[in-house]
Amino acid sequence: MEKNNSIIHVILTGGVGSRLWPLSRKSQPKQYLEIFENKSLFEMTVDRNSHLASKVMVVGNVDNHHLSGKVMNKTNTAYVNIVEATPRNTAAAIAFAAFASNPDDILIVTPSDHIIDRMENYNQAIDEAISKAQDGYIVTFGIIPTKPETGYGYIESKGDKVLSFREKPNETTAKEFIAKGNFLWNSGMFCFKAGVLLEELKQFQPEVYEKSKAVWEASKDGFLDLDLSLAIPSISIDYAVMERSKKIKVVPASFSWSDLGSFESVYDYLVSKGHHIDKNGNMVIGSGKHTTFLGLKNTIFVYTDTANLILQKEHSQDVKDIYSELEKINSDLLN
């Protein structure tokens, strides 16, 4: 690569969106569904960061990289394509992007399936993170929470100092976090110099570092080898680096954020954009046909050509269990 150092936007596109079945399928995961004002979450991610970075990298997989390619062509965005042969979690995915960069390049790593509003606050948070990354820190973005959410991990913080990372809590614990006032939602977004991240990965997870390096060095036009990839331990970047490094800082951010990880969060977002609900809070997604709900409240009817889902909004997190059951029988309804 050329010698001048860049700010690179790295888009992670793994994940099948199991909590959004049957809308989200293996052949069309949630980040590619054009149900958000006729754009997909992936396209919105590309647009949102286009002015921030001089380069774009997309870390995808053999099943979805053609879908990413369509969006990149549609938005006329040049990009470095990294195609994983098999999912190995976020530590490896981020390591590949870092190996593909110069050590002093600053990487802004974002998932491809999040909704973000209040762009002025977003840009301010990114600027602050870039500044900390230039000083050699690995920066994570903590979202100032608006409610006791059980679907997100949390970051316990003091100013920009990370005190601890916490798993997705139950409702009681989530309420305790909110009451304490120093807990942030873990957004899964990061900013760092490529070389700093790799140094920390090498220190704390040498096997992930070495095996990811070997896979990257053997790659052909960004396509990664399956047999070599299978040797990489499947570990998240949080476990591998964030929870152990002394170089972590958090930017507490007040932009509006959702990972749209459940139908409840999709419902809330669509309501905010004027999507129709009846007087009892019932909503139809995926069909323009007249639908009447009788004796039901806060019910979501999800329509697709091959499968329908009817759920109470409060049970949105349980959709993943239906997905798991279908996975056990290798159902075509997942494709």
Side-chain angles (χ1 to χ4, degrees):
M1 295 179 81
E2 63 265 36
K3 279 288 174 243
N4 60 326
N5 299 320
S6 312
I7 292 177
I8 301 172
H9 177 212
V10 178
I11 309 175
L12 304 179
T13 71
V16 291
S18 58
R19 287 183 182 84
L20 294 189
W21 181 88
L23 278 186
S24 184
R25 309 284 183 105
K26 287 178 179 173
S27 61
Q28 193 79 0
K30 71 168 179 173
Q31 57 269 33
Y32 303 104
L33 298 170
E34 293 191 345
I35 58 170
F36 306 96
E37 297 158 7
N38 295 318
K39 283 187 175 184
S40 66
L41 295 171
F42 183 96
E43 185 178 341
M44 291 162 82
T45 303
V46 174
D47 289 348
R48 178 187 317 131
N49 294 283
S50 58
H51 67 292
L52 298 171
S54 48
K55 291 182 187 172
V56 179
M57 280 182 194
V58 177
V59 185
N61 58 48
V62 285
D63 295 328
N64 73 13
H65 74 97
H66 63 288
L67 298 171
S68 299
K70 282 181 188 169
V71 176
M72 301 310 271
N73 289 339
K74 179 183 171 186
T75 57
N76 204 17
T77 307
Y79 69 110
V80 175
N81 195 23
I82 299 174
V83 183
E84 293 184 288
T86 182
R88 299 322 279 159
N89 215 318
T90 49
I94 289 171
F96 298 139
F99 283 124
S101 309
N102 291 321
D104 283 337
D105 287 342
I106 287 180
L107 275 50
I108 300 166
V109 180
T110 73
S112 58
D113 56 358
H114 292 182
I115 280 280
I116 287 172
D117 282 321
R118 299 214 291 271
M119 289 310 296
E120 194 178 321
N121 297 14
Y122 177 76
N123 293 334
Q124 191 180 334
I126 293 280
D127 287 345
E128 195 180 325
I130 289 171
S131 170
K132 290 181 192 299
Q134 280 165 339
D135 291 338
Y137 291 106
I138 296 171
V139 184
T140 182
F141 294 79
I143 312 298
I144 297 166
T146 54
K147 60 178 180 178
E149 172 64 62
T150 58
Y152 302 147
Y154 284 73
I155 299 167
E156 184 185 9
S157 64
K158 184 177 182 181
D160 69 355
K161 189 170 186 262
V162 174
L163 302 179
S164 70
F165 287 89
R166 302 294 184 91
E167 297 295 323
K168 294 174 184 176
N170 61 29
E171 197 159 338
T172 308
T173 309
K175 284 176 178 168
E176 286 169 8
F177 287 172
I178 301 302
K180 282 182 179 167
N182 67 325
F183 282 80
L184 306 164
W185 290 337
N186 188 350
S187 70
M189 292 170 49
F190 309 102
C191 181
F192 47 76
K193 281 185 183 174
V196 171
L197 187 281
L198 289 174
E199 280 166 21
E200 296 296 276
L201 183 64
K202 190 177 186 177
Q203 181 182 343
F204 296 113
Q205 285 289 340
E207 193 181 1
V208 175
Y209 173 89
E210 294 297 346
K211 293 192 167 163
S212 299
K213 187 169 190 252
V215 169
W216 177 248
E217 286 172 351
S219 66
K220 294 184 174 70
D221 299 324
F223 284 80
L224 309 182
D225 180 83
L226 176 59
D227 290 338
L228 289 174
S229 297
L230 286 167
I232 304 170
S234 180
I235 299 173
S236 74
I237 195 68
D238 281 1
Y239 283 127
V241 175
M242 300 297 154
E243 295 178 8
R244 301 160 82 177
S245 171
K246 299 284 184 281
K247 295 184 176 178
I248 309 297
K249 294 282 186 187
V250 63
V251 170
S254 57
F255 53 83
S256 162
W257 173 88
S258 169
D259 75 347
L260 291 190
S262 69
F263 278 114
E264 185 170 16
S265 51
V266 171
Y267 177 104
D268 292 344
Y269 175 74
L270 291 175
V271 167
S272 78
K273 295 297 180 185
H275 191 95
H276 176 71
I277 51 172
D278 71 12
K279 66 180 190 294
N280 292 313
N282 300 306
M283 175 185 282
V284 178
I285 298 175
S287 172
K289 289 180 182 171
H290 179 76
T291 305
T292 303
F293 296 83
L294 201 56
L296 297 170
K297 287 185 174 179
N298 296 331
T299 299
I300 306 171
F301 173 48
V302 185
Y303 174 87
T304 74
D305 287 343
T306 54
N308 298 329
L309 175 68
I310 300 162
L311 72 150
Q312 298 264 222
K313 183 158 66 92
E314 300 76 41
H315 291 280
S316 293
Q317 293 292 342
D318 300 335
V319 176
K320 69 178 183 301
D321 299 334
I322 299 169
Y323 191 97
S324 299
E325 289 302 315
L326 291 169
E327 211 164 26
K328 280 178 196 165
I329 59 170
N330 207 15
S331 171
D332 285 345
L333 293 173
L334 300 183
N335 297 328

